[in-house]
Amino acid sequence: MLNESRPNLTYRIRNSSYVFIPFFCNDNFDNDSINHIWRIKNQGNRYFLKYIVDKLTHDSSRVCCRPYLMDDEVRNKLGIVHSSRRCYLETRQYAMDGEPFSFYIGEILLFLFETNIGFLIYKIDHCKDDTHGIIASKNYHLKKIHTTLVYTEKDDGTKAALVLGTTAINSLSLLSEYILENTIGSKVEIFFNYAEKSERRSNILTHFNLKLEKKLSDTDNSTIEDILFHLKRNYHSEWEIEGASIYKDAEYFKASPYIRWGISSEATVCLTITDPETFFVGNSFYDNFHSYYLYEYVLALHQKYALYYFLTNFKAESDLDELEKNIAELANFRAKYVFQVISESETYQTVYSKQCKVFELESLFADINEQVNRVMQIKKVADEHKLEEQNDKINLILGLIAFLGVFSAIIDLNTLISWLEWILCQSQIMWVQAIATTTLILVSITFLSIFIRANWSKLKKKKRRKK
């Protein structure tokens, strides 16, 4: 690609990784309160379709996602390690030459969705001389968000926690809980899809630039394959390709000879290549990666974690009202946040589509649909039982009315018979009284037994249904 009209800005390219911390808030986000702590991150609207932009712009009436950035002032107030201070991994496993892994927490970002799901994101700036093997090994540890210990150093070289004045905040997991508690609220749960803290794993989005001293050629393919293989899954440097092709259609996209994508459910890497003749990736593309490509990754990741949330909430022991509420929330989510097409740009759309595919969103939706069908079946059976109970009550009331009507008629008949008895007694015919009384008793017993047998049968059916 020609570069006559472009300045050479490759000097500003810095390899970096975004580490994503998903969380769920039990209460609705207080946007006014959050706006006082976090700075609104203004996103451009290039490349995205309008119906996407309307959902991503803070001042839009239809906004569904709000991006924020933590200012240095707030960062200092919270005592969080400064972006210029180097951090280290406690472990030296897979480190080269026994040197500890080091990095900088360049930015701290926050993305909030109206589903009450959000992402706290750390922009990890890697050291200038880090090879792709070092970065891959580093990401292998960083993805283990709770168990990997992280520290910084004081001016005298002694170890220090990630938050000034504390000793316990020694992981990105604990740092995330600290930040969210102090800026969002205490009713926040990070990694709500994991049962155990030790199992928490972060998704990582990485940009790595391969700088060549000669013009790009076929001889560089083995290096390119190695970079894509390790960084698209956060594999440490000792993992080997073992002859398997990394160019799987679902996990690979070649936007140009100088821009390659490796995509998996665990991590995504954008590999850019600069040589003495090609440096356009240091211009607009570098900025686009850290804005638009980051944003579309968040949109796909939100769908994944929202579906995890709904699948977790569809529990067999939930009552019908709670299940109906979950279905309503799911319908709202599908209407607002599920996108198949987000851009007319082939590059952006292709990366997004492949990202959604490796996240297995279709399979997650299939699982959700199965759960919804199960809930609807439960509701249908419950409605049928409710209708039967209503019919039973109506029949019981009608039976009582009928019984009372017959009973009233018997009483009236008894009155008539008593009157006749009085007349007949005047003629001293006593046997009529015995016949009348016996008839009255037999009719009452017969009707009462029929009524009891009919309703006893209904009660037995009702008990069987409950069992």
Side-chain angles (χ1 to χ4, degrees):
M1 183 172 290
L2 298 177
N3 292 293
E4 289 86 349
S5 61
R6 295 187 177 95
N8 188 346
L9 301 178
T10 55
Y11 64 88
R12 69 185 183 130
I13 296 178
R14 187 169 187 174
N15 296 329
S16 55
S17 298
Y18 289 94
V19 180
F20 297 84
I21 315 296
F23 64 89
F24 178 78
C25 185
N26 292 316
D27 293 331
N28 292 331
F29 297 121
D30 185 352
N31 294 316
D32 292 334
S33 176
I34 292 170
N35 289 341
H36 285 299
I37 302 175
W38 293 82
R39 176 163 62 87
I40 292 175
K41 186 177 186 293
N42 293 315
Q43 286 286 137
N45 57 12
R46 295 176 62 194
Y47 306 111
F48 290 129
L49 294 170
K50 186 178 186 301
Y51 77 98
I52 301 293
V53 174
D54 287 345
K55 297 175 187 293
L56 308 180
T57 307
H58 275 274
D59 55 2
S60 170
S61 60
R62 292 180 287 179
V63 60
C64 298
C65 175
R66 301 176 189 272
Y68 297 93
L69 176 67
M70 182 178 285
D71 279 330
D72 287 340
E73 181 182 350
V74 175
R75 191 163 171 165
N76 292 335
K77 184 178 179 181
L78 294 175
I80 299 171
V81 58
H82 196 269
S83 59
S84 62
R85 188 169 288 277
R86 189 173 293 204
C87 298
Y88 303 89
L89 297 181
E90 184 73 34
T91 179
R92 297 195 181 191
Q93 187 181 22
Y94 310 121
M96 297 180 183
D97 301 324
E99 292 294 325
F101 293 110
S102 63
F103 58 91
Y104 301 87
I105 302 178
E107 292 180 349
I108 301 176
L109 306 170
L110 179 71
F111 283 77
L112 300 180
F113 290 83
E114 288 188 350
T115 53
N116 286 359
I117 291 172
F119 295 93
L120 188 64
I121 306 171
Y122 299 102
K123 181 174 180 283
I124 304 298
D125 291 325
H126 299 290
C127 300
K128 184 178 179 180
D129 296 329
D130 283 351
T131 64
H132 73 271
I134 291 175
I135 294 176
S137 296
K138 202 187 304 182
N139 286 353
Y140 168 81
H141 293 296
L142 286 173
K143 72 179 179 181
K144 300 177 180 180
I145 200 71
H146 191 73
T147 56
T148 297
L149 302 183
V150 182
Y151 66 94
T152 185
E153 288 183 347
K154 299 178 183 178
D155 293 336
D156 60 4
T158 58
K159 289 184 179 180
L162 298 177
V163 175
L164 186 67
T166 70
T167 57
I169 300 179
N170 58 357
S171 71
L172 291 183
S173 178
L174 294 175
L175 178 61
S176 301
E177 292 177 350
Y178 171 80
I179 292 173
L180 293 173
E181 183 176 347
N182 284 276
T183 63
I184 303 296
S186 58
K187 296 182 179 179
V188 173
E189 180 184 1
I190 70 171
F191 286 99
F192 51 86
N193 57 311
Y194 281 102
E196 300 292 335
K197 287 185 176 181
S198 60
E199 295 301 315
R200 292 172 176 174
R201 296 287 187 274
S202 278
N203 279 81
I204 297 181
L205 172 66
T206 296
H207 171 246
F208 183 84
N209 184 68
L210 175 62
K211 186 177 180 180
L212 300 176
E213 300 300 328
K214 57 179 182 59
K215 188 175 181 179
L216 175 66
S217 65
D218 292 341
T219 58
D220 300 305
N221 284 338
S222 60
T223 301
I224 291 171
E225 285 191 13
D226 194 54
I227 294 170
L228 293 173
F229 173 77
H230 288 93
L231 286 176
K232 76 175 180 178
R233 279 198 171 88
N234 300 325
Y235 284 166
H236 60 75
S237 58
E238 292 187 11
W239 281 65
E240 296 181 0
I241 299 178
E242 294 183 351
S245 173
I246 56 94
Y247 298 119
K248 297 179 181 178
D249 182 62
E251 298 183 350
Y252 176 72
F253 175 53
K254 184 178 180 180
S256 82
Y258 302 92
I259 302 175
R260 320 283 183 98
W261 290 85
I263 302 169
S264 78
S265 61
E266 302 167 70
T268 290
V269 55
C270 176
L271 169 62
T272 56
I273 302 167
T274 55
D275 62 25
E277 298 182 11
T278 306
F279 49 81
F280 74 95
V281 294
N283 288 264
S284 59
F285 180 82
Y286 184 69
D287 296 323
N288 292 346
F289 174 84
H290 292 287
S291 55
Y292 309 123
Y293 285 106
L294 168 64
Y295 218 141
E296 71 175 24
Y297 190 85
V298 171
L299 293 178
L301 199 61
H302 170 251
Q303 294 178 59
K304 172 184 173 181
Y305 277 97
L307 290 172
Y308 283 158
Y309 167 76
F310 286 117
L311 285 168
T312 303
N313 272 10
F314 278 97
K315 300 175 182 176
E317 61 269 22
S318 300
D319 59 37
L320 194 57
D321 290 339
E322 186 177 354
L323 292 173
E324 288 181 337
K325 179 185 176 183
N326 291 336
I327 290 177
E329 290 178 351
L330 177 61
N332 183 64
F333 163 73
R334 286 178 186 256
K336 289 184 177 180
Y337 303 102
V338 179
F339 315 119
Q340 297 296 325
V341 178
I342 65 168
S343 177
E344 286 289 327
S345 167
E346 180 183 2
T347 302
Y348 285 91
Q349 182 58 41
T350 301
V351 173
Y352 174 77
S353 297
K354 287 180 178 291
Q355 198 66 71
C356 291
K357 187 172 182 179
V358 298
F359 281 160
E360 299 284 356
L361 295 185
E362 288 188 8
S363 298
L364 288 172
F365 273 114
D367 289 341
I368 279 287
N369 289 334
E370 185 177 333
Q371 296 278 25
V372 171
N373 291 335
R374 180 182 63 83
V375 171
M376 296 306 295
Q377 186 62 33
I378 292 173
K379 187 178 184 302
K380 180 181 177 182
V381 172
D383 288 343
E384 289 175 351
H385 287 175
K386 187 176 181 180
L387 182 61
E388 288 181 12
E389 289 178 355
Q390 289 176 344
N391 290 335
D392 289 344
K393 290 178 181 178
I394 292 172
N395 291 334
L396 180 62
I397 292 170
L398 291 176
L400 287 172
I401 291 172
F403 175 75
L404 292 174
V406 172
F407 189 73
S408 177
I410 291 173
I411 291 175
D412 292 339
L413 179 62
N414 187 48
T415 303
L416 177 61
I417 292 173
S418 298
W419 180 72
L420 290 172
E421 285 177 352
W422 181 79
I423 294 175
L424 293 173
C425 282
Q426 302 300 317
S427 305
Q428 298 181 351
I429 307 176
M430 302 302 296
W431 57 272
V432 174
Q433 182 179 10
I435 294 174
T437 302
T438 303
T439 301
L440 179 62
I441 293 171
L442 289 175
V443 170
S444 298
I445 292 173
T446 301
F447 184 82
L448 186 60
S449 64
I450 293 172
F451 179 77
I452 291 173
R453 284 173 62 85
N455 284 280
W456 179 254
S457 177
K458 291 177 181 177
L459 286 172
K460 286 173 69 177
K461 289 180 180 179
K462 188 175 180 180
K463 286 182 179 179
R464 283 198 297 269
R465 285 200 302 265
K466 288 183 178 180
K467 290 180 179 178

